[in-house]
Amino acid sequence: MPATTATAQDFIPYATAAIDFHRALNIPAGPLVASRAELDSLHEHLVALHGLLDAHAQRVSPLLPVEGDHLKATRTRLWQAAEHLHAAYHSAPRPGSGEVPDAEACRARRPEGAPELSICRRHQEAAQLVRRRTTPADLHSPFTGLVRH
């Protein structure tokens, strides 16, 4: 029997299918608001996807600058999405009590102390990579940078 080697193309469709399956099963009949556990899982997925696109952007940019620009722009948008998911986590109802933090508490960053999940640690670790690869202007611009044609 010949040996096979797995490539990224072998695994990414499974991740996509799992997300689609989760949406189809949980959104129509599920709760009206996303739980903190679900937001944490989605954040983990986005951070992993950000890391994958960062690796591709770093590798391809010297060889194909136009493709590299597009991958870097995609990476930046994913980080912006991860930032919003992190904020949504801290704005979501607390487990058990269902209490929603008020706006003042949310502005304080960790309104309830250390979260029970690993979202803040993961977010801070990913932020180190973001700080090395992008500028603050890139992150706050509505346009993610020069894209060559």
Side-chain angles (χ1 to χ4, degrees):
M1 178 177 253
T4 61
T5 57
T7 64
Q9 293 81 3
D10 295 331
F11 299 110
I12 293 173
Y14 292 109
T16 304
I19 290 172
D20 286 344
F21 190 63
H22 171 80
R23 180 187 45 78
L25 285 179
N26 295 312
I27 298 304
L32 295 178
V33 297
S35 69
R36 283 183 163 203
E38 183 173 14
L39 294 172
D40 182 62
S41 293
L42 288 169
H43 183 270
E44 184 175 20
H45 185 76
L46 275 185
V47 168
L49 192 53
H50 177 270
L52 175 63
L53 283 163
D54 178 67
H56 280 303
Q58 291 301 110
R59 206 163 78 177
V60 78
S61 290
L63 303 171
L64 299 167
V66 175
E67 181 182 351
D69 288 345
H70 286 290
L71 290 172
K72 288 175 185 176
T74 303
R75 175 190 65 196
T76 299
R77 290 288 191 221
L78 279 172
W79 177 250
Q80 291 168 335
E83 284 271 336
H84 285 289
L85 268 174
H86 183 245
Y89 173 89
H90 284 294
S91 301
R94 294 181 178 134
S97 72
E99 179 184 338
V100 177
D102 64 12
E104 292 290 321
C106 289
R107 278 194 279 281
R109 288 285 179 182
R110 289 179 14 180
E112 69 278 353
E116 65 276 24
L117 300 171
S118 57
I119 190 168
C120 290
R121 180 187 48 76
R122 178 186 328 107
H123 198 71
Q124 290 304 314
E125 288 172 2
Q128 291 175 6
L129 175 68
V130 171
R131 285 192 292 273
R132 285 194 301 267
R133 303 274 200 253
T134 58
T135 67
D138 292 336
L139 294 173
H140 295 98
S141 171
F143 181 65
T144 57
L146 171 69
V147 177
R148 302 164 229 229
H149 295 284

